Amino acid sequence: MGAVHRPPFHGGTMELSHFSVGHEGREVFWNAEHFEPFLFLFAFVALVIFAYGIYRRWLMWAAIGKAEPEDRKDNVKVRIKNLLINGLLQKKVLEDRFPGIMHALIFFGFLLAFFGAAFDASEFHIAEPLGFAFLTGKFYLFFSFLMDLAGLAILIGVFMALDRRYLSKPDRLGYRGKPDNTPDDAIALLLIAGIVITGFFIEALRISVTWKETPWEIWSFVGWTLASAMNGISEPTARALHKGLWWVHTFIALGFIAYIPFSRLLHIVTTPANYFMATLRPTGTIEPIRDFENAESFGVGSLEDFTWKQLFDSDACTRCGRCQDGCPAYLTGKPLSPKKLIQDLKTYWIEKAPAAIAAKKEELRAKIAQGTEKEKCQAALAWLDKLDQTLDKYLPHRVEPVEKALVGDVINLDELWACTNCMYCMENCSASIEHVPKIIGMRQYKVLMEADFAPELQLTYRNMENNSNPWGVGSHLRGEWAKDLGVKTLAEDPNVEYLFYVGCAGSFDDRGKKVSIALAKILQAAGVSFGILGAEEGCCGDSAMRGGNEYLYQTLAQTNIEVMKGYGVKKIITACPHGYNALKKDYPHFGGDFEVYHHTEILAKLIADRRIKLKKPVTEYATYHDSCFLGRYNNIYYEPRRILKEVPGLQILEMERNFRKSFCCGAGGARMWMEEHGDRINDARAKQAIDTGAQTIAVACPFCLTMMSDGLKTHGKEETIVALDIAEIVWKAMGLEEEKAPPEVCQT
Amino acid sequence: MGKGVFFVAEQRDGALRKVSFELASTARKLADQLGEEVGAVLCGSGVEAMAAELAKYGADKVFVVDNPALEPYTTGAHAEAVAQVVKQNNPSILLCAASAQGKDLSAALVGKLATGMATDCTDLRIENGRLVAIRPMYAGKCYGEVVVSTDPQMASLRPNVFPVVENAKAGAVLKVDVALGEAKTKVVEVIKDVGGKIDVTEANIVISGGRGMKGPENFVILEELAALLGAAVGASRAAVDAGWRPQSDQVGQTGKVVSPNLYIACGISGAIQHLAGMSSSKYIVAINKDPEAPIFQKADYGVVDDLFKVVPEMTKEVKKLLG
């Protein structure tokens, strides 16, 4: 190919002839002169469509939902940090290896490509005319390489995604083996692939013409390789194809931008927004019902009872299904799936939105008519309204929503009550969605407004009301477990450092009492100053709160707080993670401000400070079951393990689902008190524990203790494997007490 | 103030129910303390023959209201009949049973007689010439002493609590004609529970089997004993989960709550979830070979032995006692 006559570029100095080895660069708009104004016109149109799409969506975000109790815009520095770490650095997404890498390739590739285009544009419009081109020389070579790498990364990511969704078909991209693919999923991926592939071909076609003059283009290695394959193409053909493909590329790319608000690509906007708005409150905090006296309705009975943020969560959801993959209810065959819950709410929201938006517009019009809104508003509203109505004629028709019951039709009762509040969904959600408060909200309506809940729960609540414990054992017997131990009540001696809040299981359940006794003996041996409330202690109310009976919970909480404050309690130790969580995170809402410690925190410190010594072996192989309310709710993962490591000769065998991915025992969310049908969550978890080969299952929660013990019995392992609380293991390891020989059974 | 301690006898399907004898014995005791007579009110159709039985347990008089309109039981007719008998005879005390029928009847009677009533009592005594009723309150957390200040003083007795004492008296039958007026309700159909099995929540005696039963086929030994005692057979969650017994038999926190006179727990460890379902039983007997089983903390009588030895032995002894 010889030098071909090229028409001079319009005024600029970026002609091909300008460049040479040592002064590398590229002629922007090569072969595409005069396209520029059109490019800007179409880009403008695309942006307008994008903006309009966001506006329509924003109407939906603003149409339904109550005010948020938490200010989701405060503490801006922290929120921006979250946004950058999760959004820009993709931290949450990358927690899962294959899909994380898959998305990161597309995301970072796109980010680079976007900046690449921005560089090009600023080079062309700003730098060049002002005389300081920067996209030249070594930087240009590096830039070229990076851009091609980015495109390649995107393509690899897209192929990974296509394989994952259409070939591998993991369960989480569906529900119970049925994939939930929509055409939109394919369109989004194909659009992206289209942009990159056309881009590479455009580059290749250009290089196929200019390569002799621009040998450095080898740094655009993909384009260069493609160009080599196009050896036989004549220059006119190449140029014609180049021009055509240039337009195709433009339309796909601009179409992509315009398509964003109307497709799953909206997550580009909504998911980062969710990172920014993610709750800064302590993990697992539930907003209490503040005004029982005057509120007319409690809990969430209809979509309108959710807050706007709770509904917005549904728009941030990308149906990735990580929540479903670890949900203990879903994995044992219950109809509940956190993903399905969020998506069902979204579907219902979209159905209800048109009527709600129309109502809001009416409101606004009424305000304008009364002269309480500015005239400008009126004009803008009228114009937008007209636009909305015109477009609605052509947009897919929305069916008039049938009045459905939120709980009953949209979310069915079995789904609602299957949740154990374990927070696997929230912890592992890559979009910072908050599932559990929605479930509790809906349960509150069922319990407080409709009195429609399981009869077993009725018994439980009644027992808590009458005797301040779910089993209905006489409340005067609460301190009996400590009778022979020399443990004083605060009534007898309030001058102690810690209140040992025993909790219902530790006070009344025979199995639980053994844990309380072990802990009390350890604390006494270590010389820790503590006392108990005895009969003055009340149920913490956690099961009532999570079972939707907010009123009962508040009654119990306030009673406890009054008693504790009366004794001037400052520090509390408890052996039950549910009590721990309630005292630490929920009681402050009612003025209960205490320093709360779980017994594993205290024991770990006592061991580290050498105030207690573990000298006797207890078991050779133990597996530790992370309690949801200790782990995910309160980040206490290492203390129990540190303790176990100090037991002579003990080796910890970890289960696969541990730490933040731990599998619930099934008792949380008031499920301890309810009948369970089908595969049992605790049996499934016990199997996981048994499969490690451990002889002991170590737990740190009375619920887990009951559930794991029962699970062992189901699998017939109760003779060979034992479930023990950490306190019991520590006490045994301290070797201060001879094991009692089993009593003689009289033979008659 | 009137004289006489009256009670409303309960009959069904041609026989007096056990609670009628409890009422008679209690009325007798109170009447003796007051130096008054015991009157029984017996309503139904073709019930005159039952009067003699009431005499056996202390009734001086039996007011028989025999009318086809009184069979089967309807609130309106029976309440009207009893009210008229009471108004004609002016007793000082009127007792009913706190059974399903008795609760229904006494509620209507209270209205018709414009008097007060102590419900679901577990004890009665006379103090200063007035009836003092003791009744459990707040789900059995405490007992209250109630004195009714109006006449006749009404009280309903919790079934299976008051003793039955034989004390034969004249039992003079007085037939009463009562103008019942237009029936406001009519019983269209009586659908009986076909099961033949006594429901655990209604039975006086419940014999439950747990994990220690080792298999569904072994429950026959409990069923045999239950048949002799007229008891219902229950199960702990372990037995139901294993598929040995149906869910309707499950006793416990997430099953049924029962409060029979006698609860016999066989091969049940007595975890707190099970106790929550039967702890209000009057007497608890536990049979378990594990001496550490928590159920022994709760049981009134415990046998630490193999239930497969003990239960058949019990059955043999019961057969001997029943003759």
Side-chain angles (χ1 to χ4, degrees):
Chain A
M1 295 188 224
V4 179
H5 174 68
R6 276 175 296 282
F9 210 69
H10 73 261
T13 51
M14 275 181 65
E15 283 184 35
L16 204 56
S17 49
H18 182 68
F19 304 114
S20 59
V21 176
H23 303 282
E24 297 85 350
R26 172 159 65 85
E27 181 183 329
V28 180
F29 279 114
W30 175 88
N31 196 43
E33 307 90 356
H34 314 308
F35 283 5
E36 194 197 341
F38 294 107
L39 172 62
F40 278 97
L41 175 65
F42 293 128
F44 178 73
V45 170
L47 284 172
V48 166
I49 297 175
F50 173 83
Y52 181 70
I54 298 290
Y55 155 72
R56 286 297 289 251
R57 205 66 179 186
W58 180 82
L59 284 181
M60 190 173 117
W61 295 334
I64 306 178
K66 300 207 299 223
E68 251 289 307
E70 181 188 345
D71 184 355
R72 299 286 182 152
K73 306 190 272 27
D74 65 359
N75 278 309
V76 177
K77 278 216 191 94
V78 181
R79 292 186 182 278
I80 291 197
K81 190 176 110 193
N82 288 338
L83 174 60
L84 290 176
I85 291 179
N86 290 319
L88 194 56
L89 298 179
Q90 293 279 288
K91 175 162 174 274
K92 279 181 186 260
V93 177
L94 283 168
E95 268 163 16
D96 237 1
R97 210 172 333 133
F98 185 91
I101 293 177
M102 169 193 95
H103 186 267
L105 286 171
I106 300 176
F107 176 81
F108 288 117
F110 234 86
L111 217 54
L112 281 173
F114 178 79
F115 278 108
F119 270 28
D120 263 352
S122 16
E123 170 84 347
F124 185 72
H125 288 288
I126 304 169
E128 255 293 310
L130 290 178
F132 53 89
F134 59 92
L135 223 50
T136 57
K138 289 257 176 356
F139 181 70
Y140 175 73
L141 299 179
F142 167 71
F143 176 78
S144 306
F145 180 76
L146 204 61
M147 285 302 109
D148 268 27
L149 194 64
L152 200 59
I154 296 174
L155 270 186
I156 295 174
V158 167
F159 282 123
M160 284 169 83
L162 287 168
D163 169 82
R164 189 169 163 80
R165 186 171 283 280
Y166 298 104
L167 295 175
S168 317
K169 296 197 260 208
D171 185 61
R172 74 159 74 147
L173 291 183
Y175 179 76
R176 301 244 171 269
K178 249 183 62 175
D180 57 22
N181 301 332
T182 62
D184 180 37
D185 296 326
I187 294 174
L189 285 172
L190 293 175
L191 277 179
I192 296 173
I195 295 174
V196 176
I197 292 174
T198 51
F200 276 140
F201 272 100
I202 292 171
E203 187 179 62
L205 285 165
R206 165 173 56 83
I207 293 174
S208 79
V209 171
T210 68
W211 65 279
K212 278 235 175 76
E213 286 111 318
T214 58
W216 55 82
E217 287 293 333
I218 193 173
W219 284 88
S220 299
F221 60 98
V222 179
W224 185 271
T225 315
L226 277 177
S228 325
M230 291 183 201
N231 237 334
I233 295 186
S234 71
E235 183 173 324
T237 315
R239 280 179 177 271
L241 280 175
H242 177 270
K243 279 191 168 57
L245 216 50
W246 196 97
W247 280 112
V248 174
H249 178 85
T250 301
F251 281 124
I252 299 180
L254 294 179
F256 177 87
I257 292 174
Y259 185 57
I260 289 174
F262 306 99
S263 66
R264 63 169 295 135
L265 295 168
L266 183 62
H267 82 272
I268 295 174
V269 173
T270 52
T271 305
N274 232 31
Y275 291 146
F276 182 82
M277 296 195 290
T279 180
L280 296 179
R281 289 189 173 171
T283 313
T285 309
I286 301 294
E287 173 74 14
I289 295 179
R290 294 283 179 186
D291 192 7
F292 265 111
E293 303 291 313
N294 300 316
E296 283 177 8
S297 174
F298 308 114
V300 174
S302 63
L303 201 69
E304 291 78 6
D305 293 330
F306 280 123
T307 68
W308 61 263
K309 170 64 173 69
Q310 287 181 312
L311 291 176
F312 186 85
D313 273 351
S314 286
D315 245 3
C317 173
T318 54
R319 291 156 47 226
C320 78
R322 292 174 191 202
C323 50
Q324 191 176 278
D325 257 7
C327 173
Y330 180 80
L331 291 174
T332 49
K334 319 293 187 306
L336 172 67
S337 149
K339 175 169 103 164
K340 181 173 179 292
L341 179 88
I342 300 296
Q343 288 296 315
D344 284 348
L345 286 176
K346 179 172 178 174
T347 310
Y348 189 43
W349 186 24
I350 291 176
E351 277 177 28
K352 282 201 132 200
I357 293 171
K360 275 257 150 94
K361 284 192 180 164
E362 268 308 311
E363 246 179 71
L364 196 52
R365 272 185 219 112
K367 275 203 209 145
I368 292 174
Q370 287 170 356
T372 50
E373 286 288 328
K374 294 193 223 98
E375 277 168 28
K376 278 187 237 169
C377 215
Q378 181 175 16
L381 181 68
W383 187 85
L384 280 169
D385 222 353
K386 200 96 195 295
L387 182 63
D388 288 345
Q389 281 174 24
T390 322
L391 285 172
D392 272 341
K393 284 201 208 111
Y394 301 104
L395 285 173
H397 245 343
R398 289 189 193 90
V399 184
E400 275 310 312
V402 178
E403 263 317 307
K404 297 185 198 163
L406 175 66
V407 181
D409 295 325
V410 181
I411 311 289
N412 79 52
L413 283 172
D414 289 331
E415 291 177 66
L416 179 64
W417 289 102
C419 177
T420 64
N421 283 196
C422 79
M423 276 214 335
Y424 181 96
C425 48
M426 288 172 64
E427 182 69 34
N428 290 282
C429 175
S430 52
S432 297
I433 293 172
E434 295 156 38
H435 314 67
V436 174
K438 299 195 229 280
I439 294 211
I440 295 183
M442 289 189 274
R443 288 183 180 182
Q444 282 171 349
Y445 187 82
K446 278 312 221 180
V447 174
L448 299 173
M449 299 297 289
E450 294 187 348
D452 177 14
F453 50 99
E456 315 93 81
L457 267 189
Q458 286 177 28
L459 171 68
T460 309
Y461 293 155
R462 205 178 332 126
N463 286 336
M464 286 161 107
E465 285 167 15
N466 288 339
N467 278 298
S468 204
N469 69 82
W471 299 287
V473 182
S475 61
H476 59 292
L477 297 169
R478 203 163 184 118
E480 287 296 292
W481 66 272
K483 223 175 10 182
D484 302 320
L485 293 176
V487 174
K488 293 220 184 94
T489 62
L490 292 192
E492 292 164 343
D493 179 10
N495 296 319
V496 289
E497 193 186 348
Y498 293 97
L499 162 66
F500 173 18
Y501 178 83
V502 189
C504 299
S507 306
F508 298 110
D509 180 8
D510 286 296
R511 187 64 188 87
K513 283 189 222 173
K514 294 198 180 118
V515 179
S516 308
I517 292 172
L519 183 58
K521 286 185 181 166
I522 297 171
L523 294 175
Q524 284 172 330
V528 176
S529 153
F530 74 98
I532 60 174
L533 282 171
E536 286 188 284
E537 184 184 282
C539 175
C540 70
D542 173 79
S543 286
M545 190 250 273
R546 289 165 188 288
N549 198 339
E550 177 76 5
Y551 187 73
L552 173 60
Y553 157 69
Q554 290 193 11
T555 313
L556 292 165
Q558 283 162 343
T559 310
N560 270 331
I561 292 171
E562 219 178 285
V563 171
M564 290 175 187
K565 280 183 142 167
Y567 284 113
V569 169
K570 297 267 181 321
K571 302 203 242 184
I572 304 178
I573 302 176
T574 177
C576 173
H578 287 262
Y580 172 75
N581 192 64
L583 290 168
K584 188 168 180 158
K585 307 238 196 81
D586 301 313
Y587 277 31
H589 288 302
F590 305 105
D593 264 302
F594 313 105
E595 257 178 72
V596 191
Y597 299 97
H598 186 253
H599 73 308
T600 50
E601 295 182 276
I602 300 289
L603 293 179
K605 189 149 198 310
L606 288 175
I607 293 173
D609 290 347
R610 300 204 191 291
R611 282 168 70 178
I612 56 180
K613 291 186 191 30
L614 306 187
K615 19 183 217 199
K616 267 182 75 177
V618 174
T619 178
E620 209 186 329
Y621 295 108
T623 185
Y624 175 66
H625 163 76
D626 283 292
S627 152
C628 304
F629 274 68
L630 204 57
R632 278 187 288 267
Y633 273 81
N634 289 290
N635 237 338
I636 296 179
Y637 299 104
Y638 288 102
E639 287 83 339
R641 290 176 166 84
R642 258 184 255 140
I643 295 171
L644 288 173
K645 291 212 179 91
E646 293 294 321
V647 176
L650 190 154
Q651 228 191 313
I652 301 178
L653 303 171
E654 291 282 354
M655 289 186 260
E656 204 185 302
R657 290 184 183 265
N658 60 1
F659 289 92
R660 290 170 54 221
K661 289 201 163 4
S662 174
F663 191 91
C664 180
C665 75
R671 288 239 35 107
M672 175 79 175
W673 317 109
M674 299 171 73
E675 196 49 82
E676 192 180 347
H677 301 286
D679 289 330
R680 294 252 170 87
I681 293 174
N682 68 316
D683 290 343
R685 183 52 165 174
K687 178 105 198 347
Q688 293 171 23
I690 293 167
D691 285 346
T692 61
Q695 305 143 321
T696 304
I697 304 180
V699 298
C701 167
F703 279 179
C704 297
L705 186 58
T706 305
M707 287 303 200
M708 296 306 264
S709 306
D710 277 358
L712 285 172
K713 283 191 203 148
T714 306
H715 294 294
K717 295 280 182 194
E718 71 271 26
E719 306 284 323
T720 46
I721 305 179
V722 69
L724 288 174
D725 187 278
I726 298 268
E728 295 179 295
I729 294 176
V730 169
W731 179 245
K732 277 195 212 240
M734 282 165 74
L736 293 178
E737 187 178 275
E738 280 309 309
E739 292 281 326
K740 270 198 314 204
E744 294 274 326
V745 176
C746 49
Q747 307 286 335
T748 41
Chain B
M1 223 189 98
K3 273 182 84 115
V5 180
F6 280 26
F7 69 91
V8 182
E10 235 181 78
Q11 54 81 14
R12 195 191 289 174
D13 295 333
L16 285 167
R17 304 194 77 208
K18 175 168 167 279
V19 74
S20 306
F21 309 136
E22 294 167 18
L23 283 162
S25 305
T26 311
R28 182 76 257 159
K29 191 179 105 180
L30 296 171
D32 286 340
Q33 286 179 340
L34 286 169
E36 292 174 12
E37 285 199 325
V38 172
V41 185
L42 179 61
C43 303
S45 183
V47 294
E48 202 177 314
M50 298 181 207
E53 269 191 276
L54 293 170
K56 203 161 89 169
Y57 294 94
D60 294 300
K61 299 194 195 112
V62 182
F63 297 90
V64 177
V65 189
D66 210 302
N67 190 321
L70 292 170
E71 182 63 40
Y73 171 88
T74 55
T75 318
H78 277 242
E80 185 55 38
V82 175
Q84 286 196 23
V85 170
V86 167
K87 282 187 189 151
Q88 284 166 18
N89 294 281
N90 203 11
S92 57
I93 294 173
L94 177 63
L95 303 176
C96 297
S99 59
Q101 185 175 306
K103 285 185 201 169
D104 178 82
L105 178 66
S106 52
L109 278 176
V110 162
K112 283 193 187 287
L113 299 173
T115 187
M117 177 168 121
T119 57
D120 200 31
C121 306
T122 52
D123 200 4
L124 296 169
R125 64 170 193 272
I126 304 291
E127 217 171 81
N128 300 324
R130 294 299 287 182
L131 180 68
V132 176
I134 286 89
R135 50 188 299 276
M137 297 170 69
Y138 299 116
K141 244 181 141 168
C142 64
Y143 289 91
E145 287 190 352
V146 179
V147 174
V148 178
S149 50
T150 51
D151 293 297
Q153 302 158 87
M154 279 187 69
S156 67
L157 275 56
R158 184 181 272 195
N160 291 325
V161 175
F162 290 82
V164 173
V165 180
E166 278 194 43
N167 196 342
K169 293 288 173 185
V173 173
L174 298 162
K175 291 177 78 153
V176 182
D177 272 319
V178 168
L180 285 175
E182 186 89 42
K184 291 220 180 92
T185 55
K186 189 179 108 177
V187 175
V188 176
E189 194 187 346
V190 177
I191 305 169
K192 284 204 191 243
D193 180 17
V194 186
K197 247 175 31 154
I198 312 172
D199 187 52
V200 281
T201 51
E202 290 188 7
N204 239 336
I205 304 177
V206 176
I207 308 178
S208 282
R211 190 180 300 275
M213 296 300 294
K214 304 252 187 273
E217 62 280 2
N218 296 327
F219 272 78
V220 285
I221 61 173
L222 300 186
E223 281 168 353
E224 214 192 308
L225 181 56
L228 286 174
L229 295 172
V233 176
S236 74
R237 192 174 195 233
V240 173
D241 279 359
W244 302 340
R245 304 296 286 181
Q247 244 248 286
S248 52
D249 285 356
Q250 185 174 321
V251 173
Q253 178 96 26
T254 55
K256 301 229 166 73
V257 176
V258 303
S259 59
N261 265 342
L262 172 62
Y263 190 88
I264 307 178
C266 308
I268 293 177
S269 66
I272 197 164
Q273 280 81 253
H274 187 73
L275 293 179
M278 40 65 75
S279 62
S280 57
S281 308
K282 196 158 173 189
Y283 293 105
I284 300 172
V285 173
I287 308 169
N288 196 309
K289 50 178 195 202
D290 175 14
E292 300 276 296
I295 190 114
F296 289 119
Q297 308 289 336
K298 201 65 189 151
D300 297 287
Y301 299 95
V303 184
V304 182
D305 208 339
D306 186 350
L307 70 95
F308 293 107
K309 274 199 291 173
V310 177
V311 175
E313 277 299 314
M314 278 175 73
T315 311
K316 244 193 341 193
E317 291 297 318
V318 169
K319 276 202 188 123
K320 268 198 234 154
L321 283 173
L322 292 177

